[in-house]
Amino acid sequence: MTCHSKPHPAQCADSQPETLHLEQFVQTHEPAIRLASFIGIFALVALWELMAPRRALTVPKTARWASNLGLVVLNTLVLRLLFPAAAVGVAAVAAERGWGLLNIYPLHPALALVLAVAALDLVIWVQHVLVHAVPALWRLHRVHHADLDYDLTTGARFHPLEIVLSMLIKFATILVLGPSVVAVVIFEVVLNATSMFNHGNVRLPIALDRWLRWVLVTPDMHRVHHSIEDDETNSNFGFNLSLWDRLFGTYRNQPRAGHQGMTIGIRDHRDPREVDRLPGMLALPFRGAVTGYAINRRQWPDPMPGGESQ
Ligand SMILES: [Zn+2]
């Protein structure tokens, strides 16, 4: 990408050779950057889980971890096979052709970076609400929720079809928004890190949790979303910034039964062979009914006999 290939001279202002060099380096080394950050953060949170676990796990860890991490390997292969250029490739094409809001209306690079990361996070939040609301999408997303325990590997456990859908939504967002290659990689690394952190079976001092969750989604905040109770499942959709749930009224402070007493998972799918083994997890979207977690399938109690329906 060269400066004169840009459609507007104004865009040349922030395209210094060092910036271009950095963009190119990040784009070329994106798989290595992602893998190194995944391994580093995984090791940190795994160690934290061993030293200060929040809850006792209910099913053996070995088979669960093998299945959850098996799904991570499968998803990585599927994504690299289907979309070899990945999200950074789409961001590079958008920058070269001048597509997307931030390419049409260039801002100061630091401001553009903050806006891009926040906007991508909002899209992820909306997407998360969507996969809870649309019954067919809930079928895919319930693979993530059917985990019988809650730890850092839960954060990486998604059905391949949901991962592909997620990538297509990300591509569309990048084409509309026009974030830089660096912003996309920063967002992906941060989302990966916060997802492992907030799914961590880790204990944080209560005061620190209360302070931190004004900005970030903490493990205690996101654990509420993995409760078996449907009203708790349909709250705290954020993966990164806690702002969206507070702003849109889906924030819930704590689970009713407390973090020790609450049950993790979903009703109707609690057989470990179905929800904790790779073949069962891959088949889960196609088995059984949608269940009442999907918002428009929720069952409401019958009105009081002889009374007005509420
Ligand atoms: Zn969810």
Side-chain angles (χ1 to χ4, degrees), residues 128-129 131-132 138 141-142 144-145 158 162 199 222 225-226 233-237 239:
H128 193 183
V129 174
V131 296
H132 276 259
W138 167 249
H141 186 59
R142 70 183 176 190
H144 175 64
H145 279 266
F158 291 92
E162 184 174 6
H199 286 90
H222 192 68
H225 181 75
H226 282 259
T233 307
N234 286 303
S235 62
N236 297 3
F237 293 96
F239 278 121

Side-chain angles (χ1 to χ4, degrees), residues 211-290:
W211 176 82
L212 202 58
R213 68 163 76 181
W214 279 109
V215 183
L216 284 180
V217 175
T218 64
D220 274 12
M221 180 179 161
H222 192 68
R223 193 176 298 103
V224 177
H225 181 75
H226 282 259
S227 161
I228 198 170
E229 302 296 339
D230 79 324
D231 57 339
E232 293 180 340
T233 307
N234 286 303
S235 62
N236 297 3
F237 293 96
F239 278 121
N240 200 347
L241 297 173
S242 63
L243 171 72
W244 314 122
D245 285 301
R246 293 182 187 274
L247 198 62
F248 298 120
T250 46
Y251 175 73
R252 192 177 283 261
N253 195 14
Q254 305 293 344
R256 273 187 297 276
H259 289 280
Q260 306 299 331
M262 71 184 289
T263 304
I264 300 289
I266 53 174
R267 289 197 184 87
D268 307 329
H269 296 282
R270 305 202 58 79
D271 177 353
R273 279 166 308 177
E274 187 187 17
V275 298
D276 273 349
R277 301 292 178 271
L278 207 45
M281 285 153 66
L282 291 172
L284 190 59
F286 313 103
R287 298 176 68 134
V290 167

Side-chain angles (χ1 to χ4, degrees), residues 3-123:
C3 193
H4 60 260
S5 72
K6 297 253 186 171
H8 302 295
Q11 286 169 307
C12 295
D14 52 87
S15 298
Q16 300 302 321
E18 306 83 59
T19 317
L20 281 177
H21 187 75
L22 176 68
E23 296 257 322
Q24 233 140 38
F25 177 86
V26 167
Q27 196 187 341
T28 315
H29 295 89
E30 183 256 355
I33 295 170
R34 299 276 311 274
L35 183 66
S37 66
F38 175 80
I39 293 172
I41 298 153
F42 188 95
L44 274 178
V45 180
L47 202 65
W48 190 355
E49 286 190 344
L50 282 176
M51 290 167 68
R54 184 71 160 105
R55 291 162 49 94
L57 298 182
T58 59
V59 290
K61 202 171 172 178
T62 326
R64 234 189 97 247
W65 273 38
S67 305
N68 288 358
L69 294 177
L71 208 46
V72 174
V73 173
L74 180 66
N75 287 336
T76 309
L77 291 176
V78 167
L79 284 184
R80 293 286 162 193
L81 212 67
L82 285 180
F83 312 111
V88 286
V90 178
V93 169
E96 205 170 293
R97 310 257 167 102
W99 293 342
L101 289 172
L102 292 170
N103 287 317
I104 297 169
Y105 307 105
L107 300 172
H108 185 279
L111 180 61
L113 179 78
V114 171
L115 275 180
V117 171
L120 285 163
D121 194 50
L122 173 60
V123 171

